[in-house]
Amino acid sequence: MKFKELLDKAYKKFKTSNTNVVFQYTISIDMKIESLLNTTVIKKDMFYMKFPNNDTAYLGLGKIISHRITSKSELHNLTEKKYSTINNKNQKLSFFGGLAFNLDDENFYPWENTPKGEFYIPKILIKQNKQKTEFTYSKLINNSIQKRSILNDYKNMLSMLNKSKLKNEPIPKIKFKSEDPNQNNYIQHINSLIKKINKGQLQKIVISRLVKYSLKSRLSINKLIEYFNKQYANCFNFFICFNKNNIFTGSTPERLIKLENNLFEIDAIAGSSKRINELKSKKEIIEHKHVTKHIYKTMSKISSKLSQPKKPEILQLKYINHLSTTISGILRQKMHIININQ
């Protein structure tokens, strides 16, 4: 079905139901996300994500629906929301976003200007895998928007893709600014915590420090993502641009959960060392068992079947090695993935 025909159908559904309609139109394009990143300047409400050991990647621009989350009750209410949709591919409605580890705590520096949680539908979504690249245009149909403006906007978006020009941006020079605490104090603090653990005063603790750098020119997002995907191919690589002064980017091997129908997989990654032989130490094995036991105990309460390998695998990254165990199972009843993570 052509774009205008489907749009007419969406407006008809909106008028008869008197309910806002999420309109989505998907086409295949002869373009790679990497090429788009080479031609695109970082913009507000722009994100990229690529999954570990998987050729599926997403690039999103803009928002048509957004839900900011500041509490567990708001998160629960989000799962109850229903949307009227119409699209040309019979695809499920997909939200993108994330959450802080703890919604109860107040954000502190340097996270005070970053949302605790947000899930949204991008206006433009580029999805790429080995077989193809798809372009999805989304719009919320309601009384405030005219059909003609959507037709023009869609044409403009396609034109923007076709007219994209390569931006040969130099790699920005990075300058060290400060660290808190400094390296010597940080090591002293670690040693004092190790003593407390050895005495049984602490069981496990995660510490960090803040290191600041400055860039002499604008961040080249395409070169950053190219570096992540090359160096850390078996990690989840991402960036989220909240606004021009607030960009969150990173690379992690951890997958919180994968849920398809009632089948789930959870990666327990704990116990780490640069040297593989050190992963056999008592400390690393205990640390890994602590995490796997917690996940197994938690999921056993809501699962009809649960399995775990007898021994962990070694996840080898360029900068470190981890003990890794994938715990899988079947849920007793259908649950929203957000409710599981709570």
Side-chain angles (χ1 to χ4, degrees), residues 1-61:
M1 187 178 290
K2 292 184 177 180
F3 184 89
K4 188 177 182 306
E5 292 177 54
L6 191 67
L7 186 60
D8 289 339
K9 193 175 177 180
Y11 266 90
K12 185 177 180 180
K13 186 175 184 178
F14 164 67
K15 289 176 182 178
T16 55
S17 65
N18 200 29
T19 304
N20 293 348
V21 175
V22 177
F23 167 80
Q24 294 185 310
Y25 194 78
T26 302
I27 60 172
S28 294
I29 58 174
D30 186 20
M31 188 176 289
K32 297 293 185 183
I33 285 180
E34 292 78 12
S35 300
L36 289 169
L37 288 172
N38 268 325
T39 61
T40 305
V41 176
I42 300 174
K43 298 177 181 178
K44 180 184 176 184
D45 300 331
M46 178 178 177
F47 74 84
Y48 169 90
M49 57 178 65
K50 187 174 186 298
F51 293 89
N53 294 322
N54 188 321
D55 285 314
T56 302
Y58 295 92
L59 176 65
L61 297 164

Side-chain angles (χ1 to χ4, degrees), residues 47-99:
F47 74 84
Y48 169 90
M49 57 178 65
K50 187 174 186 298
F51 293 89
N53 294 322
N54 188 321
D55 285 314
T56 302
Y58 295 92
L59 176 65
L61 297 164
K63 300 175 185 176
I64 66 159
I65 293 175
S66 174
H67 298 287
R68 287 283 177 102
I69 306 296
T70 60
S71 67
K72 289 181 179 179
S73 60
E74 289 179 353
L75 185 61
H76 176 73
N77 292 339
L78 177 61
T79 66
E80 303 297 319
K81 290 184 179 292
K82 306 294 181 184
Y83 293 92
S84 178
T85 64
I86 190 164
N87 58 68
N88 64 323
K89 293 289 186 179
N90 295 318
Q91 69 258 38
K92 293 181 180 179
L93 196 60
S94 295
F95 281 79
F96 294 81
L99 292 168

Side-chain angles (χ1 to χ4, degrees), residues 98-333:
L99 292 168
F101 284 114
N102 192 335
L103 289 173
D104 297 325
D105 291 346
E106 290 297 319
N107 283 359
F108 53 86
Y109 182 82
W111 305 105
E112 68 270 24
N113 295 319
T114 301
K116 282 187 177 181
E118 184 178 17
F119 292 94
Y120 60 88
I121 300 173
K123 177 183 174 182
I124 302 297
L125 180 67
I126 313 292
K127 178 183 178 182
Q128 176 183 302
N129 54 37
K130 280 185 177 180
Q131 290 76 34
K132 59 186 176 181
T133 305
E134 289 185 326
F135 168 96
T136 297
Y137 175 92
S138 300
K139 204 73 175 178
L140 186 64
I141 308 297
N142 54 35
N143 283 321
S144 66
I145 188 162
Q146 298 296 315
K147 192 188 300 183
R148 174 54 56 186
S149 68
I150 295 177
L151 288 167
N152 290 336
D153 189 44
Y154 177 68
K155 290 177 182 177
N156 289 337
M157 292 298 104
L158 291 180
S159 178
M160 178 188 72
L161 288 179
N162 294 328
K163 292 180 180 179
S164 296
K165 293 182 179 179
L166 181 65
K167 295 183 181 294
N168 189 20
E169 293 183 325
I171 297 176
K173 292 182 179 180
I174 301 174
K175 183 180 179 181
F176 171 79
K177 286 187 70 176
S178 64
E179 57 184 358
D180 184 25
N182 63 41
Q183 188 173 4
N184 288 335
N185 289 339
Y186 189 59
I187 291 172
Q188 288 177 14
H189 187 44
I190 290 173
N191 289 332
S192 69
L193 290 172
I194 290 173
K195 289 178 181 178
K196 289 183 178 181
I197 291 172
N198 291 335
K199 291 178 181 178
Q201 296 173 349
L202 292 172
Q203 187 176 28
K204 181 179 178 181
I205 188 168
V206 178
I207 64 172
S208 63
R209 67 183 182 134
L210 180 67
V211 182
K212 288 185 179 182
Y213 297 89
S214 63
L215 302 177
K216 290 194 173 182
S217 60
R218 185 170 58 190
L219 179 66
S220 175
I221 201 66
N222 61 302
K223 289 183 172 61
L224 176 66
I225 291 301
E226 181 183 349
Y227 173 81
F228 277 161
N229 289 341
K230 184 178 179 180
Q231 296 294 320
Y232 314 121
N234 49 357
C235 291
F236 175 70
N237 301 321
F238 68 93
F239 80 80
I240 305 169
C241 180
F242 297 105
N243 56 59
K244 66 179 182 179
N245 296 317
N246 190 0
I247 298 170
F248 179 40
T249 184
S251 179
T252 174
E254 296 187 81
R255 177 182 58 179
L256 189 58
I257 187 170
K258 176 184 178 182
L259 179 65
E260 191 169 348
N261 297 320
N262 275 7
L263 305 175
F264 67 84
E265 291 182 354
I266 298 174
D267 292 337
I269 298 177
S272 308
S273 177
K274 287 186 177 181
R275 298 178 181 87
I276 291 179
N277 286 339
E278 291 181 358
L279 293 176
K280 298 177 183 178
S281 71
K282 184 178 178 181
K283 170 193 173 296
E284 305 306 335
I285 292 171
I286 290 174
E287 183 178 338
H288 188 74
K289 284 183 176 180
H290 179 80
V291 174
T292 54
K293 282 183 179 180
H294 174 73
I295 294 173
Y296 197 94
K297 182 180 178 181
T298 302
M299 295 307 295
S300 64
K301 298 174 184 177
I302 57 175
S303 303
S304 61
K305 184 179 179 181
L306 203 56
S307 62
Q308 175 184 329
K310 291 182 179 180
K311 293 183 179 180
E313 296 181 347
I314 295 177
L315 175 61
Q316 292 181 273
L317 303 177
K318 286 204 171 183
Y319 59 98
I320 203 167
N321 303 292
H322 299 287
L323 291 176
S324 175
T325 297
T326 298
I327 299 170
S328 59
I330 304 173
L331 297 175
R332 288 198 193 113
Q333 59 186 30

